[in-house]
Amino acid sequence: MGNVPYLALHLISEGGPAIASILDIAKKAGVSKTTVSKVLNRQYGVHAETRKRVLEAAEALHYTPNIAARSLVMSKSGVIGVVYDSFRSPLYMELATQLEHHAMVSGYRLVFCSCNEDPDAKSGYIRYFMGGAADGIILFGSAEGDEAILDQVTAVDYPCAVIENHVEHLSIPNVLIDNLSGAAQAVDYLYERGHRAIAHVTGNLLHKVAVDRRDGFVKAMEEHGLSAPPERLLSTEGTIGCGTKAAAQLLAMKERPTAVFVFNDLIAYEMMDALHQARCRIPEDLSVVGFDHLVGLLSFKPGPLELTSLSQPLSDVAAAAIDLVAALVAGNAPQEKVRLFWPELKEGNTCRTLPPERASDPE
Amino acid sequence: MGNVPYLALHLISEGGPAIASILDIAKKAGVSKTTVSKVLNRQYGVHAETRKRVLEAAEALHYTPNIAARSLVMSKSGVIGVVYDSFRSPLYMELATQLEHHAMVSGYRLVFCSCNEDPDAKSGYIRYFMGGAADGIILFGSAEGDEAILDQVTAVDYPCAVIENHVEHLSIPNVLIDNLSGAAQAVDYLYERGHRAIAHVTGNLLHKVAVDRRDGFVKAMEEHGLSAPPERLLSTEGTIGCGTKAAAQLLAMKERPTAVFVFNDLIAYEMMDALHQARCRIPEDLSVVGFDHLVGLLSFKPGPLELTSLSQPLSDVAAAAIDLVAALVAGNAPQEKVRLFWPELKEGNTCRTLPPERASDPE
DNA sequence: TTGTATGCGTTATCAC
DNA sequence: GTGATAACGCATACAA
């Protein structure tokens, strides 16, 4: 009766895949659905002979469990969803690889999506995961609109961990790199080598990471009794081409700094290339420190120079994120809301030690 | 009765997210489930006043549709799944970005997963998608074991498109780059510049791409009346470090070739770096042609030299793959099984034109 | 315009 | 050891 349209539809539509169900197996093997389910889930209490018949039928019909039905009844999918703003960085890729690795160890499937910087798409993917496609999500990034999105997540207590973004008033656990420490390490390193006039090239300040690194830079400068005047804070949008723009700005400066701390290696390499073309030598004329240590993530060298840069412990970050979400899914609120990791400065050849006379510059 | 354990479980477990259902909304708004469903799906035939009440209730309860239930009843998820072997290449990332873009245009969600080169994990992800998590899949890559996996897919007529792998006897549509043409372009380019002694560094020959490019190389050489002896075919496993190894092999050759066609830029840049360290100058001592044109995909330069390389039309490839899967999902068998695209040689500065006298070397 | 009833494919409970 | 049967949350044909 009522099921005729469904059945008819199923039989008529030639386009749809012909995936067998437990019921199909049951018919073929001459047993009940329950028995089939038991066999398929490796439960005890099934006659060896029956089990064999069921298994053969399943094989013959190319059975694939319907995960929609399964997660509907179990309210669990075994999946963790990861939401990116963009795929376009070797750093993101390495993080993805590490996340996948740790998820597998924890017995979760991991699926990724990128909203390509589109907030609506991001919200859509998150709602998709929250709707049962995943048991929990990992949100990577610190874009401006994320807070509103995270509000929805906390409202229903959905398991979620955020990498790279710390929202104070929300109870969502964060996995963070200490960007302030990173900036301080960069400044300290340059200071020790005699640099006093240090500039900073920011990332996209709509992302918290960029703000943190800039603030960390300013703070570190002040702690050394140095100033970080606005004209030495070159803000960029973190997109392709901004390194070149930053280089132009640097070259146009009346009092050129002796060193620059750049938001990340992507920008820094592009900037160094533009500087090189303008006959500004690195490190002779300008010292550069980056962030992310791309050389460590790539099989090739991202430029003629090896950039001195801060390396992030991506494996630790990934493990912590998976851990947090897995704990939340299991119903255990994590003890600590913030898992903080320290970046480590890796020395390259883009920084010069200034001769003493310059080092004793005023201020 | 029977539902008590379910309800009790739901109420007791503090860990689970508290996501409201249509039934919850219905109760709160004082209407039936059907009405709520209608409102939520923007259907006509609902009183404005009722609609408002429902919407308010949904908002208040932070309603998120359960996609498991929805896709169970509709046998559609609105998702296309993409399966990668690895995330570790700028090429893969750019392809992902393009795929995401085109999927959004087609109204599909796109979720990615990487099996990290583990065949079992790959099979698991594919079965997961086939089980209803996605309406169709795009498999990227040409690893050796893929054929067995694709057998399962075709057995149940599940919508699937493969990028970079052509399995002759299966009816799965393929999106391909003409690797033979790519190799021929590389050889032609070098031949025109006087090179006769040309070597080839392969990729992982367990992947069909690598085999195709090698075969294309050999064929193109023969068409020029040149030979491609085994000792000039340096096979690698495509992993990190193999470029360095290939460089060592090249340097150890008794009769060193004047040019090398390398499987991809990743290997080529690593190789060139090792060669540089061994004081082998490029292009003076050796000309190099790569594949993938990484410079076009990165915001920074992947090395001091700009590698002459074959560029793949990734946007076209992505569009074709999405198109194919979307068509299959809609029940339309694509007219053509193979969508072939041509790579384009982008000239860099890693190839030298040999002086006439050398060019006329015998064979 | 609204509500009732049914089924999607699975797991889980409980009789046989 | 095995098999009915009842949910999971949703969409829809159909009755009211």
Side-chain angles (χ1 to χ4, degrees):
Chain A
M1 293 300 186
N3 82 6
V4 166
Y6 280 95
L7 265 179
L9 192 73
H10 182 261
L11 292 175
I12 290 174
S13 80
E14 353 78 281
I19 296 187
S21 71
I22 284 194
L23 184 58
D24 297 323
I25 300 177
K27 281 189 204 150
K28 177 148 187 154
V31 294
S32 76
K33 291 194 296 176
T34 309
T35 306
V36 175
S37 182
K38 269 188 179 164
V39 171
L40 262 27
N41 293 311
R42 296 138 211 272
Q43 290 174 5
Y44 294 109
V46 177
H47 197 86
E49 166 64 25
T50 315
R51 150 169 276 122
K52 192 175 157 228
R53 275 217 318 283
V54 168
L55 253 23
E56 282 170 0
E59 176 77 23
L61 295 171
H62 299 283
Y63 173 73
T64 303
N66 183 309
I67 66 104
R70 175 180 285 176
S71 45
L72 182 59
V73 65
M74 301 188 68
S75 17
K76 274 225 163 350
S77 64
V79 169
I80 292 177
V82 182
V83 181
Y84 272 38
D85 285 314
S86 153
F87 283 141
R88 278 201 178 108
S89 164
L91 183 79
Y92 305 161
M93 292 307 86
E94 184 59 28
L95 179 63
T97 305
Q98 295 294 338
L99 284 169
E100 159 65 24
H101 172 74
H102 290 287
M104 174 159 304
V105 171
S106 298
Y108 279 96
R109 293 207 172 91
L110 210 60
V111 306
F112 293 82
C113 59
S114 160
C115 66
N116 265 6
E117 313 281 359
D118 174 349
D120 290 340
K122 178 184 284 189
S123 169
Y125 276 116
I126 289 178
R127 287 174 62 85
Y128 159 71
F129 285 134
M130 286 176 63
D135 297 333
I137 55 178
I138 293 174
L139 180 60
F140 172 59
S142 59
E144 206 187 22
D146 283 5
E147 203 164 322
I149 291 181
L150 290 175
D151 268 332
Q152 299 190 335
V153 174
T154 43
V156 295
D157 253 338
Y158 185 78
C160 172
V162 180
I163 300 179
E164 209 180 63
N165 193 3
H166 178 52
V167 182
E168 195 60 54
H169 72 278
L170 292 180
S171 61
I172 295 183
N174 309 281
V175 182
L176 297 171
I177 289 291
D178 192 329
N179 287 303
L180 268 68
S181 155
Q185 285 184 58
V187 171
D188 290 355
Y189 180 85
L190 291 168
Y191 187 90
E192 282 167 18
R193 277 150 192 77
H195 296 275
R196 298 297 178 263
I198 308 173
H200 174 54
V201 174
T202 77
N204 183 345
L205 292 171
L206 294 179
H207 290 57
K208 197 160 181 302
V209 217
V211 174
D212 283 351
R213 290 185 193 167
R214 182 200 57 189
D215 291 351
F217 169 76
V218 173
K219 181 156 168 275
M221 288 294 279
E222 285 167 355
E223 280 174 1
H224 280 292
L226 302 174
S227 69
E231 61 270 23
R232 286 221 177 113
L233 294 176
L234 309 181
S235 63
T236 80
E237 293 177 349
T239 48
I240 292 182
C242 72
T244 310
K245 224 156 71 184
Q249 287 181 273
L250 273 174
L251 293 169
M253 281 184 177
K254 275 201 292 264
E255 292 197 53
R256 202 182 292 174
T258 62
V260 198
F261 167 50
V262 185
F263 171 70
N264 71 14
D265 284 13
L266 237 38
I267 301 175
Y269 277 111
E270 192 189 313
M271 187 190 84
M272 291 195 297
D273 188 49
L275 288 172
H276 176 75
Q277 285 175 27
R279 310 221 170 281
C280 171
R281 295 163 307 165
I282 294 166
E284 292 80 2
D285 302 334
L286 189 72
S287 293
V288 182
V289 176
F291 213 111
D292 289 352
H293 195 59
L294 284 192
V295 242
L297 306 177
L298 298 168
S299 58
F300 55 88
K301 300 210 173 142
L305 296 167
E306 190 164 325
L307 184 55
T308 294
S309 179
L310 289 138
S311 162
Q312 307 194 27
L314 291 180
S315 178
D316 296 342
V317 168
I322 296 289
D323 255 24
L324 285 172
V325 175
L328 286 171
V329 170
N332 312 320
Q335 327 75 315
E336 49 212 346
K337 223 190 98 182
V338 176
R339 297 278 284 268
L340 196 62
F341 294 95
W342 273 263
E344 183 190 349
L345 191 137
K346 302 275 188 183
E347 196 160 17
N349 54 18
T350 56
C351 291
R352 169 195 184 210
T353 300
L354 293 185
E357 59 269 40
R358 287 204 63 166
S360 62
D361 266 5
E363 240 254 34
Chain B
M1 294 300 185
N3 80 8
V4 164
Y6 280 96
L7 266 178
L9 191 73
H10 181 261
L11 292 174
I12 289 173
S13 82
E14 354 77 283
I19 296 188
S21 71
I22 283 194
L23 185 58
D24 297 322
I25 301 177
K27 279 189 204 151
K28 177 147 186 155
V31 295
S32 77
K33 291 194 295 177
T34 310
T35 307
V36 175
S37 182
K38 269 187 179 165
V39 171
L40 263 27
N41 293 310
R42 297 139 211 269
Q43 291 175 6
Y44 294 109
V46 176
H47 197 85
E49 166 64 23
T50 315
R51 150 168 276 122
K52 192 174 156 230
R53 275 215 319 282
V54 169
L55 253 23
E56 282 171 0
E59 175 77 23
L61 295 172
H62 300 283
Y63 174 73
T64 303
N66 183 309
I67 64 105
R70 175 178 284 177
S71 45
L72 181 58
V73 65
M74 301 188 68
S75 5
K76 278 233 159 342
S77 63
V79 169
I80 293 176
V82 182
V83 182
Y84 272 38
D85 285 313
S86 153
F87 284 141
R88 277 197 177 110
S89 165
L91 183 81
Y92 305 162
M93 293 305 88
E94 183 60 27
L95 179 64
T97 305
Q98 296 294 339
L99 283 170
E100 160 65 25
H101 172 74
H102 290 288
M104 174 158 303
V105 171
S106 299
Y108 278 95
R109 291 207 172 91
L110 209 60
V111 306
F112 294 82
C113 60
S114 161
C115 66
N116 266 4
E117 314 280 359
D118 175 349
D120 290 340
K122 177 184 284 189
S123 168
Y125 277 117
I126 288 178
R127 287 174 61 86
Y128 160 72
F129 285 134
M130 285 176 63
D135 298 333
I137 56 178
I138 293 173
L139 180 61
F140 172 58
S142 59
E144 205 187 24
D146 284 5
E147 203 164 322
I149 292 181
L150 289 175
D151 268 332
Q152 298 190 335
V153 174
T154 43
V156 294
D157 252 338
Y158 185 77
C160 171
V162 180
I163 300 179
E164 208 179 63
N165 193 4
H166 178 53
V167 182
E168 195 60 54
H169 71 278
L170 293 180
S171 60
I172 294 183
N174 310 280
V175 182
L176 296 172
I177 290 290
D178 191 329
N179 287 304
L180 268 68
S181 155
Q185 286 183 56
V187 171
D188 291 354
Y189 180 86
L190 291 168
Y191 187 90
E192 283 167 18
R193 277 152 192 76
H195 295 275
R196 299 296 178 266
I198 308 174
H200 174 53
V201 174
T202 77
N204 183 344
L205 292 171
L206 294 179
H207 290 56
K208 197 159 181 304
V209 216
V211 175
D212 283 351
R213 290 185 193 166
R214 182 200 57 189
D215 292 351
F217 169 78
V218 172
K219 182 156 168 273
M221 288 294 279
E222 285 167 355
E223 281 173 1
H224 282 292
L226 302 174
S227 69
E231 61 270 24
R232 287 221 177 114
L233 294 176
L234 311 181
S235 62
T236 79
E237 292 176 351
T239 49
I240 292 182
C242 73
T244 309
K245 222 156 69 184
Q249 288 181 272
L250 273 174
L251 293 169
M253 283 184 175
K254 275 201 292 261
E255 291 197 55
R256 201 182 292 175
T258 62
V260 196
F261 167 49
V262 185
F263 171 70
N264 72 13
D265 284 15
L266 236 39
I267 300 175
Y269 277 112
E270 192 188 314
M271 186 190 85
M272 292 195 297
D273 188 49
L275 288 172
H276 176 75
Q277 284 176 28
R279 310 225 169 278
C280 171
R281 295 163 306 165
I282 294 166
E284 292 80 3
D285 301 334
L286 189 72
S287 293
V288 182
V289 176
F291 214 110
D292 289 351
H293 194 59
L294 283 192
V295 244
L297 307 176
L298 298 168
S299 58
F300 56 87
K301 300 209 174 145
L305 296 168
E306 190 165 324
L307 183 55
T308 294
S309 179
L310 289 140
S311 163
Q312 307 194 26
L314 292 181
S315 177
D316 296 342
V317 168
I322 297 289
D323 255 26
L324 285 173
V325 176
L328 286 172
V329 171
N332 312 320
Q335 326 75 315
E336 49 213 346
K337 221 191 100 182
V338 176
R339 298 277 284 269
L340 195 63
F341 294 95
W342 273 261
E344 184 190 348
L345 190 138
K346 303 273 188 184
E347 195 159 16
N349 54 18
T350 54
C351 291
R352 167 193 185 212
T353 299
L354 293 186
E357 59 270 40
R358 286 204 64 167
S360 62
D361 265 5
E363 193 24 0

